[in-house]
Amino acid sequence: MIENNAKKNRGARHNDMLISVENVSKDYRIGRHRLRVLRGVDLAVKGGEFLSIEGPSGAGKSTLLHIMGILDTPTEGAVIYEQENIASFGDRKRAYRRNRLFGFVFQFYHLLPDLTAQENVALPALAGLGIQRWRRGRKEALQKSRSVLDLVGLSERCRHRPTQLSGGERQRVAIARALINKPRMLLCDEPTGNLDTASGTEILDLLCRLREELNTTLVMVTHDAKVAERADRKVFMKDGRIVNQSRRQ
Ligand SMILES: Nc1ncnc2c1ncn2[C@@H]1O[C@H](COP(=O)(O)OP(=O)(O)OP(=O)(O)O)[C@@H](O)[C@H]1O
Ligand SMILES: [Mg+2]
């Protein structure tokens, strides 16, 4: 069933919607030119939903995901969470909220090479700890990190550094890192894009299982139609706009 429900959701979104991107546009300046990469995007995501975002390269998928996760700010429009426009917060408040609300998983893992898997996973739990709470905080973060690595099936790899792990294992570490602060939402940008088919399927199965077990909301940018097939709702973007949506029957 194809539907264009951006407008339809507008009335209800503050009730059953977890987060909504409202009339968001994004411009980049290149020299004297202005490049508009998002053009008035409306997208509301329900708590617990698995939403995929597809579209050609350059359509604005990553830009939209970054704005939804308040990694980047829109030129116009709002990101509403619990009736607040979290995109309008100052840097510190935005960083604090981002770290608790969202977990990010990227195509190329972005793990720090000199840290072990356990230390990489612990990092978001250490953000913002003052000197006074550092020692105890670090111990707790490393303990939590162990249990999240266990959740993604990597308890035997805690002491490995990223170069000592396979691609699929590195992505599991990145997923564990995304989960350590118990976020409401996982925002994934082509999480299987750098993996062979078998490892990609394992990662997708893992994300789907974690979403069920932890009751997490999942938003996933993907070029892979098979990955998108698993989503509750598929959104298609082109030229900075959502051009179509379909819901799984
Ligand atoms: N920092 C930037 N400065 C200028 N232009 C940018 C910047 N970041 C992205 N763009 C441009 O914005 C457009 C959208 O980029 P975006 O990364 O969101 O696309 P995408 O849909 O994720 O593509 P892909 O599938 O290739 O990852 C592209 O044309 C890109 O060149
Ligand atoms: Mg992208």
Side-chain angles (χ1 to χ4, degrees):
M1 181 177 63
I2 303 291
E3 56 183 0
N4 179 0
N5 62 355
K7 287 201 176 74
K8 213 171 68 190
N9 276 338
R10 204 164 275 168
R13 63 171 46 138
H14 290 311
N15 304 324
D16 60 343
M17 292 301 165
L18 177 64
I19 196 160
S20 57
V21 166
E22 299 193 349
N23 197 23
V24 157
S25 296
K26 179 71 179 176
D27 295 343
Y28 287 112
R29 282 208 169 276
I30 307 288
R32 289 195 293 141
H33 296 283
R34 193 188 64 158
L35 180 66
R36 176 145 282 206
V37 300
L38 290 180
R39 301 162 189 271
V41 174
D42 280 304
L43 181 64
V45 186
K46 259 189 182 169
E49 189 174 21
F50 174 7
L51 177 92
S52 68
I53 303 176
E54 294 172 271
S57 188
K61 306 178 298 293
S62 297
T63 307
L64 176 60
L65 198 77
H66 294 166
I67 288 177
M68 184 182 279
I70 54 174
L71 272 174
D72 199 357
T73 50
T75 307
E76 288 164 21
V79 180
I80 305 292
Y81 174 74
E82 292 184 339
Q83 291 162 39
E84 286 184 296
N85 179 11
I86 55 175
S88 69
F89 290 174
D91 287 351
R92 258 181 97 106
K93 199 169 166 193
R94 218 150 38 88
Y96 179 85
R97 188 60 72 89
R98 184 193 308 128
N99 199 30
R100 270 143 195 85
L101 193 52
F102 303 105
F104 295 91
V105 180
F106 301 100
Q107 182 177 1
F108 296 108
Y109 329 122
H110 297 319
L111 300 173
L112 296 184
D114 293 334
L115 300 186
T116 64
Q118 190 179 6
E119 289 163 345
N120 266 288
V121 172
L123 279 181
L126 295 168
L129 274 188
I131 286 278
Q132 308 219 320
R133 291 175 50 214
W134 174 257
R135 204 200 269 246
R136 191 163 147 224
R138 183 174 183 277
K139 200 171 161 212
E140 282 174 7
L142 287 170
Q143 276 167 358
K144 266 198 239 169
S145 167
R146 255 189 172 279
S147 65
V148 197
L149 279 165
D150 194 25
L151 196 65
V152 301
L154 277 186
S155 46
E156 304 295 312
R157 298 286 185 276
C158 284
R159 288 173 187 277
H160 286 231
R161 291 196 158 72
T163 52
Q164 299 165 329
L165 294 166
S166 71
E169 287 170 342
R170 286 181 208 185
Q171 196 59 302
R172 281 170 189 267
V173 173
I175 292 169
R177 179 184 58 189
L179 289 173
I180 194 162
N181 285 336
K182 300 196 171 94
R184 300 285 315 266
M185 298 182 79
L186 276 183
L187 301 182
C188 309
D189 198 349
E190 302 189 41
T192 62
N194 198 37
L195 300 172
D196 61 65
T197 311
S199 310
T201 304
E202 274 178 30
I203 289 297
L204 183 62
D205 289 344
L206 174 66
L207 287 167
C208 290
R209 173 171 73 76
L210 291 168
R211 173 204 167 212
E212 294 284 328
E213 284 176 10
L214 307 174
N215 194 24
T216 311
T217 306
L218 194 55
V219 178
M220 190 181 297
V221 169
T222 183
H223 279 285
D224 186 339
K226 283 206 191 101
V227 170
E229 276 313 313
R230 303 270 295 265
D232 302 322
R233 184 160 55 115
K234 301 195 283 184
V235 161
F236 297 85
M237 293 188 72
K238 200 178 168 198
D239 296 334
R241 289 194 175 89
I242 291 177
V243 290
N244 220 335
Q245 301 197 32
S246 67
R247 200 176 283 281
R248 194 148 61 106
Q249 298 272 342

